Amino acid sequence: MNLDFNPKDRFYENRLFLNRIVASVIFIVLATAGLVLRLVYLQVVGHEHYATLSRDNWVKIAPLPPTRGMIYDRNGEVLADNIPTYSLEIIPDRTSDLNATLAELKTLLNVSDEEIARFHALRHRRKTFESVPLRLQLSEEEIARFSVRMPHFPGVEVKARLLRTYPYGELTAHVVGYVGRISEAELQQLDPSVYSGTYHIGKNGVEKAYESVLHGKTGYEELETNVEGRSINVIGQNEPQSGADLHLSLDIKMQKIAYDALGDYNGAVVALDPATGQVLALVSKPSFDPNPFIQGIRRADYEALQASPDRPLYNRVLRGIYPPGSTVKPFMALAGLETGQIGAGGRIFCPGYFRLPGSSHKYRDWTKFGHGSVDMQSAITQSCDVYFYQLALQLGIDRMHDFMQRFGFGRETGVDLDGEKPGLYPSPEWKRKYRKQPWFAGETVIAGIGQGYVSVTPMQLARAVASLANQGRLVTPRLVAKMDAPPGVENPHPPVKGENLHISPNNWHTVVDAMTDVVHSQRGTAKLIAPGLAYRVAGKTGTAQVFSVRQDQDYKRMRVKDKLKDHAWFIAFAPAEAPRIAVVALAENGSHGGSVAAPIARKLMDYYLNGHDGSSSP
């Protein structure tokens, strides 16, 4: 068989041609099918993705930061404001040499190395076409100096921004708090879409506790860009939503009265509306100016605040832990009456000291020669320690612990501020767990006068006093009375319903009558504030030891340093028959509750109950 190829063979030639035609058709069909499939993929499946990529080539999204909500006091006084300022900002994309630009600005405007380091930290968090501030709050001189040279700084501009400010400075630092620059650690936890374009966040006080509603909702604008990625036009905008305005129950005039009334003493003052728990005044002294923290306080200034022995950064109202001293006696008396361990008329002899059975150790009364035979009324009025030593022993620490916890001792109040400490009302279980020691009877005795392990914060004591004024209805302190917010914005600290402690009205009257005698009777320990009062006050003084006095020492004859003197307390509510205000005043190392702390409380009550002109109530 001859298989040689013959180019003249027409049959073979036609067959070869036909095969090529078929192969071409198949190729074209397959190629067309591939193109169709690719077209379907591009137009249907991947449409959104590729449309976005295409759009991103000529459109950039820039955030529009919202305006932070304002904070007012109960009378509409602005406590936290937003003022227009001018800031020097750089868009890195538009500068030809960023380092050279920064070096020239450093010379022109005395920009510090700290500001440049902060700029770089911010720049790395933002997109290259976004404006990054180098210096906030330019002075008029700085604006003029830069404006003259502005053409030589492409990509650098002066922009108008709203900057937070606190017009009352140290008066509200521990209440309103302050905002500061967002730290790296905070940035890791924040939602970038919410804080895009925002450089500040609440760091303390109301600013921090209500950050979620004060901040507002970020908007954005769509910028048309050229081939170099520079914006040339705004083609769309979604307006930002401003943050909620907050109206506090605080009265800034009362706040100032309390701050000034402390005089040279460090300490704390809290005033509450006992019916609602609304905070009328909250003072921790000394304080500090929060305004330098907004842009970033200088390191030297911050270290000076931290190193100060008076601890101005420390919020004494929420975090200060103090022995309450004799201010617990009205609550102890209620515990004795409610549990049936003692009657109002039951008498105890006070020789000036108390001894446990079989012990020679003397638990001394504040007066060396004692009060003689006293009942509950005179024991509270004269603040007889021996009466409450005996009552504590009869109650036992377990009953004391359970009863005092009902008034909020040993637990947080739930006030709408961060950083609150719970204080401590001890129990044998607590001591076994944390001290690895058994409970001793002597510890029960001194707990009866608010010493030993017993500790409270001024806010905690204020809440207990307000609840006492309410005949046993426990309220939760609240600073924000009203929130102006768009629909759908929820209060992060909603009101809490009061809890009824079910105190017997007769027992309540017994204790409150005794507290009224503390101020209005000749033997009361706070009688010094009684002259001229236009209303009746139910109060109780307290002095809390800062250090232990040995059995052979006499505190009154000792020469102790000022920092070792007793803390002076006064708790009160007024008018006694229909309370409208509950006050706690603490003067650190003030020695005497009746002569130092009580006059502070009276100034607040006079202002609130007598009004500005002494005749009408606010």
Side-chain angles (χ1 to χ4, degrees):
M1 185 178 181
N2 187 2
L3 297 177
D4 292 341
F5 171 72
N6 185 359
K8 299 294 184 179
D9 186 341
R10 295 188 63 82
F11 173 76
Y12 180 80
E13 186 179 354
N14 289 338
R15 184 178 178 185
L16 181 62
F17 179 75
L18 186 61
N19 287 343
R20 286 177 177 173
I21 292 294
V22 170
S24 298
V25 170
I26 293 173
F27 175 76
I28 291 171
V29 169
L30 290 175
T32 303
L35 286 174
V36 171
L37 289 173
R38 182 62 178 168
L39 186 62
V40 170
Y41 174 78
L42 291 175
Q43 292 297 320
V44 179
V45 180
H47 171 76
E48 186 173 348
H49 172 68
Y50 290 104
T52 302
L53 288 178
S54 173
R55 187 177 174 80
D56 280 354
N57 285 333
W58 61 279
V59 175
K60 301 293 185 186
I61 305 296
L64 294 174
T67 300
R68 195 172 180 84
M70 305 275 281
I71 302 177
Y72 303 91
D73 86 336
R74 66 188 295 117
N75 298 313
E77 290 289 327
V78 177
L79 305 181
D81 200 356
N82 300 314
I83 58 170
T85 62
Y86 293 99
S87 62
L88 187 68
E89 306 199 2
I90 302 175
I91 301 176
D93 258 2
R94 295 188 183 180
T95 59
S96 54
D97 186 337
L98 181 59
N99 290 330
T101 300
L102 288 171
E104 288 184 49
L105 288 172
K106 181 177 182 180
T107 304
L108 180 66
L109 299 175
N110 295 322
V111 177
S112 68
D113 292 338
E114 193 175 350
E115 287 174 311
I116 292 176
R118 192 182 301 141
F119 167 80
H120 283 305
L122 289 172
R123 180 171 68 89
H124 291 308
R125 303 175 194 167
R126 307 292 175 188
K127 295 174 182 173
T128 55
F129 59 85
E130 289 183 14
S131 181
V132 181
L134 175 63
R135 172 175 287 177
L136 299 172
Q137 208 168 8
L138 290 169
S139 67
E140 291 184 1
E141 182 188 343
E142 288 171 332
I143 294 172
R145 205 184 308 160
F146 174 75
S147 298
V148 173
R149 298 284 312 278
M150 189 172 176
H152 300 284
F153 290 95
V156 183
E157 58 188 357
V158 174
K159 290 187 71 173
R161 280 187 180 269
L162 291 176
L163 190 68
R164 203 64 154 173
T165 186
Y166 304 101
Y168 288 98
E170 63 181 10
L171 268 185
T172 58
H174 289 294
V175 187
V176 174
Y178 58 86
V179 298
R181 291 177 183 269
I182 299 173
S183 69
E184 287 292 339
E186 289 166 336
L187 197 64
Q188 302 301 319
Q189 300 175 354
L190 295 174
D191 183 345
S193 64
V194 176
Y195 280 87
S196 182
T198 301
Y199 297 98
H200 293 87
I201 192 172
K203 298 282 187 177
N204 207 349
V206 171
E207 291 276 29
K208 181 179 181 182
Y210 286 85
E211 171 64 27
S212 61
V213 295
L214 282 167
H215 176 265
K217 188 176 178 182
T218 301
Y220 63 86
E221 59 182 3
E222 295 177 319
L223 304 173
E224 183 182 4
T225 58
N226 60 18
V227 291
E228 296 176 340
R230 298 180 178 177
S231 63
I232 55 176
N233 191 24
V234 177
I235 59 176
Q237 197 172 68
N238 187 1
E239 292 290 339
Q241 179 180 291
S242 298
D245 292 337
L246 302 182
H247 299 262
L248 308 189
S249 53
L250 197 82
D251 186 326
I252 192 62
K253 291 181 180 176
M254 185 182 287
Q255 184 84 352
K256 187 174 189 312
I257 289 171
Y259 196 87
D260 293 343
L262 278 167
D264 294 332
Y265 291 106
N266 294 337
V269 180
V270 185
L272 302 180
D273 179 338
T276 61
Q278 289 189 345
V279 179
L280 305 172
L282 189 161
V283 168
S284 177
K285 191 176 181 180
S287 186
F288 61 95
D289 183 2
N291 289 296
F293 285 83
I294 300 168
Q295 299 184 52
I297 189 171
R298 293 193 311 144
R299 181 179 296 278
D301 293 340
Y302 184 64
E303 289 176 350
L305 286 171
Q306 281 194 311
S308 171
D310 291 328
R311 306 174 71 187
L313 297 175
Y314 189 65
N315 188 334
R316 287 164 162 79
V317 174
L318 300 182
R319 301 182 62 79
I321 299 295
Y322 305 89
S326 296
T327 58
V328 301
K329 289 174 180 174
F331 302 95
M332 283 291 296
L334 261 184
L337 293 171
E338 289 285 309
T339 59
Q341 289 299 306
I342 198 167
R347 305 191 75 83
I348 292 175
F349 183 75
C350 170
Y353 61 88
F354 176 82
R355 281 192 178 125
L356 284 166
S359 172
S360 61
H361 182 88
K362 287 184 177 179
Y363 297 89
R364 288 178 285 200
D365 193 275
W366 67 270
T367 176
K368 186 174 182 179
F369 300 104
H371 301 275
S373 178
V374 293
D375 60 7
M376 184 173 288
Q377 179 99 4
S378 53
I380 292 176
T381 304
Q382 300 175 46
S383 198
C384 174
D385 290 334
V386 170
Y387 181 93
F388 289 95
Y389 290 146
Q390 178 62 45
L391 177 57
L393 197 62
Q394 290 176 216
L395 282 166
I397 189 61
D398 286 329
R399 267 196 289 245
M400 290 163 60
H401 171 266
D402 293 347
F403 186 85
M404 299 300 267
Q405 280 221 323
R406 293 173 60 194
F407 277 90
F409 288 88
R411 54 191 174 110
E412 296 169 355
T413 66
V415 65
D416 49 346
L417 291 176
D418 287 347
E420 182 182 18
K421 285 190 172 180
L424 173 66
Y425 205 92
S427 67
E429 289 74 19
W430 167 84
K431 194 178 178 191
R432 275 196 298 273
K433 182 176 181 180
Y434 293 100
R435 298 296 179 99
K436 312 298 180 190
Q437 295 174 348
W439 185 263
F440 299 106
E443 292 166 338
T444 301
V445 170
I446 59 175
I449 61 165
Q451 295 284 169
Y453 294 117
V454 181
S455 62
V456 297
T457 65
M459 178 59 79
Q460 207 172 48
L461 196 53
R463 184 197 193 198
V465 174
S467 303
L468 192 61
N470 284 332
Q471 299 193 42
R473 194 172 67 83
L474 197 63
V475 293
T476 301
R478 278 287 177 274
L479 266 161
V480 174
K482 181 185 170 191
M483 193 173 80
D484 290 336
V489 176
E490 295 184 0
N491 188 339
H493 301 274
V496 179
K497 191 176 179 181
E499 176 186 352
N500 196 333
L501 302 180
H502 301 289
I503 301 297
S504 162
N506 289 337
N507 293 338
W508 182 83
H509 280 294
T510 299
V511 171
V512 172
D513 286 347
M515 291 177 69
T516 307
D517 281 352
V518 169
V519 176
H520 297 277
S521 80
Q522 283 303 307
R523 305 198 71 175
T525 52
K527 62 184 178 185
L528 287 177
I529 67 167
L533 275 174
Y535 48 89
R536 290 181 70 77
V537 177
K540 183 68 190 79
T541 56
T543 52
Q545 288 183 346
V546 175
F547 69 101
S548 298
V549 180
R550 295 200 313 264
Q551 288 280 287
D552 59 345
Q553 290 179 315
D554 185 342
Y555 176 81
K556 291 184 177 178
R557 294 183 179 180
M558 294 171 64
R559 291 182 179 178
V560 297
K561 297 178 181 177
D562 286 345
K563 287 292 182 185
L564 293 178
K565 290 180 179 176
D566 292 344
H567 294 325
W569 284 101
F570 186 65
I571 63 173
F573 55 85
E577 59 278 7
R580 291 170 49 204
I581 181 173
V583 183
V584 166
L586 165 70
E588 290 183 358
N589 313 114
S591 297
H592 304 291
S595 58
V596 175
I600 297 171
R602 175 172 174 179
K603 288 181 180 177
L604 267 70
M605 292 185 287
D606 278 350
Y607 168 81
Y608 192 68
L609 298 176
N610 293 339
H612 304 283
D613 59 2
S615 58
S616 59
S617 62

